[in-house]
Amino acid sequence: MAGLASRGRYAPSPTGRFHVGNARTALLAWLAARARGSSFVLRVEDLDAGRTVPGAEAELLADLAWLGLDWDEGPDRGGPVGPYRQSERRARYDAAIVALLAAGRAFPCACSRAEVARAASAPHGPGDEGPRYPGTCRRLPPAEVEARARAAGRLLAIRFAGDGERVFFPDEVHGLVDPLGPEGVDDFVLRRADGVAAYQLAVVVDDAAMGIDEVVRGDDLLPSTPRQIALYRALGLPAPRFAHVPLLLDEGGERLAKRTRPPSLGALREQGAAPENLVGRLAASAGLWPADRPARVRDLLDATAAHLLWPSLDRRPAVWRR
Ligand SMILES: [Zn+2]
């Protein structure tokens, strides 16, 4: 998408109610894009049908609109680089896998999770990728990998040939980082055995195709970024800039997640809460607004100079007090 003006995005998964922690990241992504005059793209990451909750997408869009956020392209309004739901973009992920296989940067894998866990030397790699893959199928001829899968009654997954590539990158918030350390990029999964493209692949294919030049997301995804940068390189695509923002924690220091039952925007709306109070509170938690002062998103935008947003952001994890 060369030639497009600068573009930001927010890419939520419709897996449950949208909570205040999600709202904080969405607000920062929107503010970063709008402060530099970028288009803002909304993309729904609904690849994992087993985790997608019916009705969650519609509620999510209503929650974002209630906050005051707007977007130029998205599943509800279309746009030039759609579709804007990952479940409708599978052919693109398959095409990327074909290209990576042809370039020798991907390989089929017949291992079960349990086999990977048993064979792995380290108990867990960084991030949510599970145990580091020991390279079993990469050393076997393809026919033998297929025979292993057939014998076990399994379908083949596809893995990236990571080659332990060490990736440093300049994060807008954290500075120069190397989240995977000296072990470098692992042989992470590109497509699961059930045929569903992995997050790492889908997000790279989509951000590139949608011309996104700055990705703002929670810093729980820092370990994913070297993997994604390695994928951009392998696919010959330009990588965007990244800004990983601190997450909102509960009073016990735990990341807000469904199981800790943080307040959802749906519940706040139903209670008649004013969005200005939440927006002001979230912006204050990021060090971008005085405490105890309501704000419309427009007020934040008026008060934000694009080049000062990341330097002004409070890098400490913020705490949500009930
Ligand atoms: Zn394998």
Side-chain angles (χ1 to χ4, degrees):
M1 292 306 301
L4 280 180
S6 70
R7 293 158 64 79
R9 52 80 153 176
Y10 182 61
S13 297
T15 54
R17 296 199 99 179
F18 192 68
H19 60 67
V20 291
N22 304 134
R24 186 176 186 271
T25 304
L27 179 63
L28 291 171
W30 178 89
L31 191 58
R34 294 309 196 199
R36 60 195 181 97
S38 296
S39 301
F40 193 56
V41 175
L42 189 62
R43 182 176 73 232
V44 173
E45 304 208 325
D46 59 349
L47 272 181
D48 196 337
R51 293 182 61 227
T52 296
V53 174
E57 179 189 309
E59 185 171 89
L60 173 73
L61 300 191
D63 290 339
L64 293 171
W66 179 76
L67 278 175
L69 306 186
D70 62 345
W71 50 96
D72 305 292
E73 301 163 32
D76 55 331
R77 49 188 308 164
V81 292
Y84 294 89
R85 283 184 199 96
Q86 288 192 326
S87 58
E88 297 166 12
R89 300 178 64 82
R90 291 172 201 266
R92 292 163 172 85
Y93 313 138
D94 288 337
I97 283 178
V98 168
L100 290 166
L101 285 167
R105 292 306 309 272
F107 61 93
C109 170
C111 301
S112 67
R113 265 169 194 275
E115 284 167 347
V116 172
R118 267 202 304 278
S121 48
H124 272 278
D128 56 3
E129 289 287 328
R132 206 174 162 88
Y133 184 69
T136 319
C137 298
R138 214 179 149 174
R139 291 188 289 264
L140 299 173
E144 200 168 321
V145 176
E146 276 174 44
R148 275 189 70 210
R150 256 198 318 277
R154 275 198 295 272
L155 298 169
L156 291 170
I158 304 291
R159 288 180 178 273
F160 183 63
D163 296 330
E165 183 185 356
R166 193 160 184 189
V167 179
F168 288 83
F169 67 95
D171 186 83
E172 299 290 321
V173 178
H174 297 264
L176 190 68
V177 285
D178 169 28
L180 294 181
E183 289 204 303
V185 175
D186 55 345
D187 295 348
F188 60 88
V189 172
L190 295 171
R191 189 170 67 201
R192 305 188 321 210
D194 64 3
V196 176
Y199 162 77
Q200 309 288 12
L201 177 73
V203 78
V204 164
V205 168
D206 289 346
D207 281 336
M210 294 181 173
I212 305 300
D213 62 350
E214 185 173 271
V215 168
V216 178
R217 57 189 181 190
D219 60 14
D220 56 326
L221 286 168
L222 266 171
S224 288
T225 304
R227 297 180 172 108
Q228 292 171 18
I229 290 173
L231 263 179
Y232 280 105
R233 290 176 182 163
L235 288 165
L237 298 168
R241 293 189 306 280
F242 292 93
H244 290 86
V245 300
L247 295 173
L248 203 51
L249 308 181
D250 67 17
E251 283 162 305
E254 270 228 66
R255 172 150 75 89
L256 294 188
K258 252 184 299 182
R259 91 199 127 70
T260 59
R261 303 188 146 272
S264 74
L265 268 65
L268 290 171
R269 274 194 289 138
E270 286 152 18
Q271 291 158 17
E276 293 82 0
N277 290 338
L278 179 61
V279 168
R281 201 172 154 184
L282 293 174
S285 79
L288 302 174
W289 193 251
D292 305 317
R293 217 169 95 193
R296 294 168 305 161
V297 295
R298 187 78 230 172
D299 302 327
L300 295 182
L301 190 55
D302 290 345
T304 301
H307 66 290
L308 291 178
L309 174 63
W310 299 132
S312 315
L313 185 78
D314 190 335
R315 294 173 193 200
R316 293 166 300 180
V319 177
W320 179 264
R321 295 179 203 289
R322 287 178 189 259

